[in-house]
């Protein structure tokens, strides 16, 4: 279902969908769902500009955040995000998210978390950026933004691991976050865990989010040297074969036959010498 129909807002955490006249409406509860992002072109910043202040961000003079952050654009790998009440001239669906991750001093983490929970947020916020909000962001078109704050020790560990795989030609960096989305009770009840999901948020909304985990899988491209490795016997280095199985078998039989012929000839010569010796 790519676009909900006849959706009525009941409260801040519930919509109802009138799918059939006289029928019982479907419930659309707002619950935490796991969103997975494949991160591209990760940038690790050592400072920030005070003008870059996202909605609900912890970056201000009184914050315990350090002047460091990580930025990236993540492609959603397990579904699509839709707007419940889209504006006609704006995008109605999104497959990518602009990510910002900031460290918080470990000793101040509990206080920050409690303060944000009182404000209705988690340690992060997932937002649809549109209208007047765009002026606070580098991206000047409607988009999705995920701002996460995590303890400094975890942040440092993430940065260290990302730096280690920068030299690999191929690498996979997957970030997962728990985000409060509206979804149909029917979809939640029928889907399997591996099914792509349709997530829904309200236009220009800011939704609580929690960092879940980050997986880094370096997949270095194999580069073959023009010279044999000094650790290997050159005669024992096997080159990849482009022959079919039958061709390889035939070639092997020919080689064995040739070797067998030499052995038979040698044995015959030895037998003749033994006869004359007697």
């Amino acid at each position: 279902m790519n676009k909900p129909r006849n959706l009525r807002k009941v409260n801040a955490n519930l919509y109802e969908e009138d799918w059939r006249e006289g029928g019982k409406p479907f419930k659309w509860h707002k619950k935490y769902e796991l969103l997975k992002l494949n991160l591209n072109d990760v940038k690790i910043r050592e400072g920030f500009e005070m003008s870059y202040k996202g909605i609900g961000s912890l970056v201000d003079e009184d914050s315990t955040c350090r002047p460091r952050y990580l930025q990236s654009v993540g492609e959603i790998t397990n579904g699509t995000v839709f707007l419940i009440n889209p504006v006609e001239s704006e995008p109605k669906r999104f497959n990518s998210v602009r990510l910002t991750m900031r460290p918080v001093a470990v000793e101040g983490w509990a206080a920050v978390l409690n303060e944000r929970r009182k404000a209705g947020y988690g340690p992060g916020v997932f937002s649809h950026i549109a209208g007047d909000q765009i002026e606070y962001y580098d991206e000047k078109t409607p988009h999705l933004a995920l701002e996460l704050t995590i303890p400094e020790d975890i942040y440092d560990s993430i940065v260290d691991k990302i730096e280690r795989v920068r030299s690999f030609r191929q690498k996979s960096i997957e970030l997962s976050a728990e985000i409060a989305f509206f979804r149909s009770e029917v979809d939640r009840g029928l889907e399997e865990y591996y099914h792509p999901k349709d997530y829904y948020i309200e236009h220009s909304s800011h939704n609580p989010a929690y960092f879940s985990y980050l997986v880094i899988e370096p997949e270095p491209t194999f580069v073959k040297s023009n010279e044999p490795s000094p650790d290997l016997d050159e005669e024992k280095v096997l080159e990849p074969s482009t022959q079919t199985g039958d061709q390889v078998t035939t070639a092997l039989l020919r080689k064995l036959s040739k070797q067998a012929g030499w052995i038979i000839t040698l044995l015959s010569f030895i037998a003749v010498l033994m006869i004359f010796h007697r």
Side-chain angles (χ1 to χ4, degrees):
M1 181 188 311
N2 290 337
K3 184 179 179 181
R5 298 183 295 270
N6 301 322
L7 232 56
R8 293 182 290 102
K9 186 170 184 177
V10 178
N11 55 50
N13 296 315
L14 175 64
Y15 275 83
E16 289 185 344
E17 180 185 9
D18 296 320
W19 63 282
R20 186 180 66 183
E21 185 176 355
K24 184 178 179 180
F26 292 148
K27 304 290 185 182
W28 285 61
H29 291 282
K30 191 174 188 178
K31 296 181 179 180
Y32 283 101
E33 301 271 356
L34 193 67
L35 187 73
K36 297 181 179 181
L37 303 176
N38 183 39
L39 304 186
N40 301 308
D41 190 24
V42 177
K43 295 181 174 62
I44 298 172
R45 309 290 190 182
E46 293 302 324
F48 58 85
E49 297 178 4
M50 294 306 296
S51 60
Y52 188 92
K53 295 175 63 176
I55 304 299
S57 171
L58 286 177
V59 181
D60 52 50
E61 289 87 356
D62 298 325
S63 172
T64 57
C65 280
R66 301 297 175 86
R68 297 184 296 151
Y69 60 91
L70 178 153
Q71 284 185 319
S72 181
V73 176
E75 299 295 327
I76 302 173
T77 61
N78 65 329
T80 304
V81 177
F82 295 88
L83 297 181
I84 287 181
N85 46 353
V87 175
E88 190 63 32
S89 59
E90 295 180 358
K92 300 172 179 58
R93 56 184 294 168
F94 299 87
N95 296 105
S96 64
V97 178
R98 297 180 67 86
L99 168 71
T100 302
M101 181 180 289
R102 298 185 174 92
V104 176
V106 176
E107 58 271 16
W109 174 247
V112 169
L113 191 59
N114 289 334
E115 182 178 335
R116 290 181 67 78
R117 282 174 175 168
K118 291 178 182 178
Y121 295 108
V125 57
F126 184 78
S127 306
H128 173 239
I129 307 302
D132 295 339
Q133 301 174 12
I134 290 179
E135 66 178 285
Y136 296 103
Y137 291 81
D138 296 333
E139 176 61 47
K140 300 304 180 184
T141 58
H143 62 278
L144 300 179
L146 174 60
E147 297 189 34
L148 295 174
T149 53
I150 59 177
E152 190 175 37
D153 56 343
I154 298 177
Y155 178 88
D156 290 339
S157 177
I158 289 174
V159 169
D160 178 65
K161 288 179 172 58
I162 290 176
E163 291 289 6
R164 290 183 183 181
V165 302
R166 282 194 183 277
S167 60
F168 293 135
R169 294 186 180 182
Q170 298 177 15
K171 56 183 176 291
S172 172
I173 304 177
E174 182 185 82
L175 179 140
S176 296
E178 295 279 349
I179 300 171
F181 288 112
F182 289 102
R183 296 189 65 224
S184 166
E185 62 181 342
V186 177
D187 291 344
R188 284 189 171 119
L190 296 178
E191 70 187 12
E192 298 291 344
Y193 73 93
Y194 52 82
H195 288 162
K197 298 175 175 57
D198 292 346
Y199 302 104
Y200 289 85
I201 60 174
E202 296 175 309
H203 187 280
S204 300
S205 63
H206 310 291
N207 310 278
Y210 290 82
F211 170 72
S212 184
Y213 62 85
L214 185 135
V215 178
I216 302 176
E217 297 181 355
E219 301 171 357
T221 300
F222 178 75
V223 180
K224 183 179 178 181
S225 174
N226 293 328
E227 299 180 359
S229 170
D231 298 327
L232 296 175
D233 184 346
E234 186 175 354
E235 294 181 355
K236 295 181 180 178
V237 176
L238 302 178
E239 295 293 337
S241 174
T242 57
Q243 295 176 308
T244 64
D246 292 339
Q247 289 174 325
V248 171
T249 302
T250 302
L252 182 60
L253 290 174
R254 288 176 180 172
K255 185 175 181 180
L256 291 175
S257 298
K258 185 177 180 180
Q259 291 176 348
W262 282 104
I263 293 173
I264 292 173
T265 303
L266 179 60
L267 291 174
S268 299
F269 180 72
I270 293 173
V272 171
L273 288 178
M274 291 178 66
I275 291 173
F276 279 103
H277 182 69
R278 290 177 181 177

